[in-house]
Amino acid sequence: MLIHTRIQKIFEAYSLRLKRAIRGIDKRLDHATLHDFRVGFKKHRSFLRLLSVETGDPGKIEFPDKFRKMNRAIGDIYDEQLCGQRLLKSIGRKSSFPAGLHIKYKEVKKLILSPNHFEKMLEELNKDMPRKLSDRSIRVFFEGKRKQVGGITRKRNFTDKELHSIRKLLKDMVNISKLWRDQAIRSRYVFSGNRLKDAIAVSDALGELNDTSTALSIIRPSIIKDVPLKHQPDLIVARRKWLAEKRALKKTVVTILTNAQFFRAQAH
C-alpha cells in the first residue's frame, strides 16, 4: 500500500515534468519538446487513472477538458512532424509536405496553459487525491484492462480502432509497471521481468503501427490530389510503401497478441 506522502511525491514529480515541458513548448515547438510533453502527459494520466480506482469512481481524477484539448492539438502537430520525417526517409529528400504547420503552431500557442492556470489545475486534482493506494486498487486496475484486452483479442476482429484501444490499455499498464519498478514498489499485479519486457515490445509495435496509420491518414488520396503535380509522385510512392509496411506490421502485431501471455493474470 502507498501512503499519501508517497502518492504526493509521485504526483509532484509528474507535475514538474509536465510544467517543464509546457515551458519548453511555449518557447519552441520542435519535435523533441513535443515528445517530452506527450510522454509526460500519458504517464501522468495513467497514474491519475490508477488513483481514480482507489476513490471508487474510475473517472473521478482526470485532466480538465482544456488541458486535454491542448494535448490533442500538440498531438496533431507532433503527428504531422513525424509524417514529414517519415516522408524524408521514404523518398530520400526533403519535401514541402506537410505544409501550413506554422499556422497550427499559432493555434497551439493560444491553447497553452499559463503557469497560474496550470497550478490551479494541479490544486483541483489534489482535492480528490486519495489518502492511500491499496494493492487491491492495483489489482482492479490491471484486471480490468487485461479483461478488456482479452475481450478484443478473443473476437479476432483486429480493426485499426480495436488495435488502438489495445494500445491505450496496454500503455496504462506499462506506464504503471515501469513506475512501480523505478520506485522499487512491490506488487504481484504489475508487469515485471520478462512480462514487462514483452509488454513494452508489443506496446512499441502497436505504437509504430499507429504512427504508420496516422501518416497514411495525413497523406490520403484526397490530399495528394490537391498537391502540386510535381510533388504527387513522391507522395504516391511513399503512401504505397507505408501501406505495405502497415500490412506487415499489423500481421506481426496480431500474431503476437493472439499468442501473448503477458496480459493474462499471473498465477500466485
Side-chain angles (χ1 to χ4, degrees), residues 168-227:
K168 290 191 292 185
L169 292 163
L170 186 54
K171 199 67 180 177
D172 274 345
M173 290 189 280
V174 166
N175 283 340
I176 295 302
S177 296
K178 284 182 174 180
L179 174 62
W180 257 231
R181 178 198 63 191
D182 296 342
Q183 293 282 326
I185 304 169
R186 298 185 64 180
S187 174
R188 60 185 181 177
Y189 301 113
V190 303
F191 296 141
S192 60
N194 288 333
R195 279 183 174 242
L196 178 56
K197 289 179 183 178
D198 291 344
I200 292 171
V202 177
S203 179
D204 289 346
L206 284 165
E208 179 63 25
L209 178 61
N210 183 71
D211 290 343
T212 305
S213 297
T214 300
L216 286 166
S217 70
I218 292 172
I219 303 185
R220 53 193 182 276
S222 60
I223 292 294
I224 295 175
K225 184 178 64 176
D226 294 331
V227 170

Side-chain angles (χ1 to χ4, degrees), residues 97-150:
F97 190 90
L101 280 181
H102 63 286
I103 298 173
K104 292 187 178 181
Y105 289 165
K106 292 180 181 178
E107 293 302 314
V108 167
K109 289 280 188 179
K110 297 175 185 177
L111 295 172
I112 295 175
L113 295 188
S114 68
N116 284 341
H117 279 105
F118 184 75
E119 291 300 329
K120 286 180 180 178
M121 180 190 78
L122 296 181
E123 288 175 11
E124 289 300 314
L125 290 171
N126 253 315
K127 289 178 181 178
D128 294 320
M129 202 75 66
R131 303 297 300 177
K132 62 178 178 60
L133 180 60
S134 65
D135 214 34
R136 177 188 175 280
S137 292
I138 300 168
R139 175 178 61 78
V140 171
F141 181 82
F142 272 78
E143 285 183 355
K145 293 184 183 297
R146 281 190 177 106
K147 186 176 180 181
Q148 286 178 271
V149 172

Side-chain angles (χ1 to χ4, degrees), residues 36-52:
D36 285 345
F37 173 81
R38 284 167 57 79
V39 171
F41 181 95
K42 290 175 183 177
K43 288 186 175 183
H44 206 327
R45 183 179 58 188
S46 295
F47 188 55
L48 295 181
R49 286 172 174 168
L50 175 58
L51 294 179
S52 290

Side-chain angles (χ1 to χ4, degrees), residues 29-85:
L29 285 167
D30 62 275
H31 196 67
T33 305
L34 298 187
H35 178 74
D36 285 345
F37 173 81
R38 284 167 57 79
V39 171
F41 181 95
K42 290 175 183 177
K43 288 186 175 183
H44 206 327
R45 183 179 58 188
S46 295
F47 188 55
L48 295 181
R49 286 172 174 168
L50 175 58
L51 294 179
S52 290
V53 174
E54 182 67 35
T55 69
D57 181 356
K60 187 172 184 178
I61 310 175
E62 62 179 6
F63 290 128
D65 290 341
K66 190 173 182 179
F67 197 53
R68 295 202 300 270
K69 185 177 180 180
M70 173 185 163
N71 177 61
R72 287 193 296 271
I74 287 172
D76 288 344
I77 290 180
Y78 180 85
D79 288 339
E80 293 208 13
Q81 288 179 341
L82 195 62
C83 181
Q85 292 175 7

